[in-house]
Amino acid sequence: MNALDEVIADLEPISLEELSGAAALLDRVDRKYFVPRELLGTLLREMQGLRVLEIGGARTFLYRTVYFDSPEFTFFRQHVQRRRHRYKVRTRTYTESGTCMLEVKSKGLRGRTLKERRPHDVDRSDALDASDREYVSSLIGSDGSDLKPVLQTYYHRTTLSLGEQRVTLDTDLDCENDEQKVTGPQDVLVETKSPDGAGDLDRLLLQHGIRPHSVSKYCIGAALLYPHLHHNDWSRLLRRYWPGAARRRQRPATRRTAATRRG
């Protein structure tokens, strides 16, 4: 058992009902960090009042998320272009409980994240019916009739509570579409969610030289799985945390360039 597993096992539990009341945070500021597992375990050990979500004796859960986008990858391009208002549309399946939610996540004024969601049929987590599309359209302010599943992610998540702040720890991330799968990184993807984006863990990470990244599982997954998409904003992250996948991603472009020169 490593340092991170040990500290998670030792934490005081919090139930889902308690967590939902204490730190639901559907309107919040998110910060994301890549942290080595051993270092994260050491830092969490220093924190007072930290509790871990526990359901049925389990503290780490497998999530499956399906992302939807237009044929033109409108949502991906909104992020690349740093649009003031940008969206993600996804279904999230909580595999242990067998429940599924349709979620529309938006980024708006002052970097705040707002998440709207409703229950979804777990047996059709990779599909949207007419009612779903109407719901999505009402939230994104445009027609959602052309949305289709473009990729899915699997990862293990542990959720922590610290006062008003919620912290998620994501490990063993897989991104895949119909043609390929990419695995990584080795570090933990830590996401802090708080009313003002400046919680105790954020301050502790900054003290140890760990700075937040502008990163999205969807955008990283799309950049890795669809080589034609623009990915300059995440090139450094891809090379550092997904080095093998980033090198494979570059090869098709190189071949096309060479073919163009020969022509």
Side-chain angles (χ1 to χ4, degrees), residues 220 223 230-241 246 249-250:
I220 288 293
H230 176 88
H231 71 291
N232 287 351
D233 286 358
W234 301 288
S235 293
R236 183 178 299 179
L237 284 177
L238 297 180
R239 289 194 301 268
R240 181 172 180 181
Y241 296 107
R249 187 194 192 286
Q250 294 169 354

Side-chain angles (χ1 to χ4, degrees), residues 163-228:
E164 288 190 319
Q165 186 172 55
R166 179 183 291 192
V167 179
T168 58
L169 314 178
D170 294 341
T171 57
D172 309 318
L173 173 63
D174 290 336
C175 301
E176 61 183 62
N177 59 12
D178 292 337
E179 298 180 357
Q180 60 179 317
K181 179 171 75 173
V182 176
T183 299
Q186 293 297 312
D187 287 358
V188 181
L189 179 54
V190 177
E191 184 170 355
T192 64
K193 313 162 198 284
S194 55
D196 58 8
D200 291 343
L201 182 56
D202 297 279
R203 288 187 282 270
L204 184 60
L205 289 170
L206 288 173
Q207 289 171 15
H208 286 79
I210 307 294
R211 300 196 173 277
H213 292 283
S214 177
V215 61
S216 148
K217 293 187 192 72
Y218 172 58
C219 291
I220 288 293
L224 289 168
L225 296 171
Y226 294 93
H228 68 282

Side-chain angles (χ1 to χ4, degrees), residues 42-107:
T42 300
L43 297 182
L44 293 180
R45 184 73 71 181
E46 298 179 16
M47 307 196 71
Q48 301 296 317
L50 198 61
R51 301 174 71 186
V52 60
L53 174 64
E54 181 176 289
I55 302 174
R59 297 186 170 196
T60 299
F61 307 92
L62 178 63
Y63 283 28
R64 175 180 182 253
T65 305
V66 179
Y67 291 93
F68 297 82
D69 211 332
S70 70
E72 298 78 25
F73 285 86
T74 299
F75 300 145
F76 178 88
R77 297 183 190 280
Q78 288 174 352
H79 285 73
V80 169
Q81 296 164 5
R82 301 184 184 278
R83 294 285 183 88
R84 191 173 188 180
H85 294 282
R86 50 192 189 266
Y87 299 92
K88 295 190 191 79
V89 174
R90 67 194 186 191
T91 60
R92 171 161 290 172
T93 300
Y94 304 86
T95 58
E96 280 81 6
S97 65
T99 58
C100 182
M101 304 292 290
L102 171 61
E103 300 182 343
V104 178
K105 193 174 180 181
S106 62
K107 183 82 74 172

Side-chain angles (χ1 to χ4, degrees), residues 24-41:
L25 294 177
L26 297 182
D27 181 6
R28 75 232 184 176
V29 176
D30 297 344
R31 299 278 171 82
K32 298 176 183 178
Y33 309 82
F34 290 101
V35 188
R37 300 188 190 210
E38 291 297 318
L39 174 60
L40 181 60

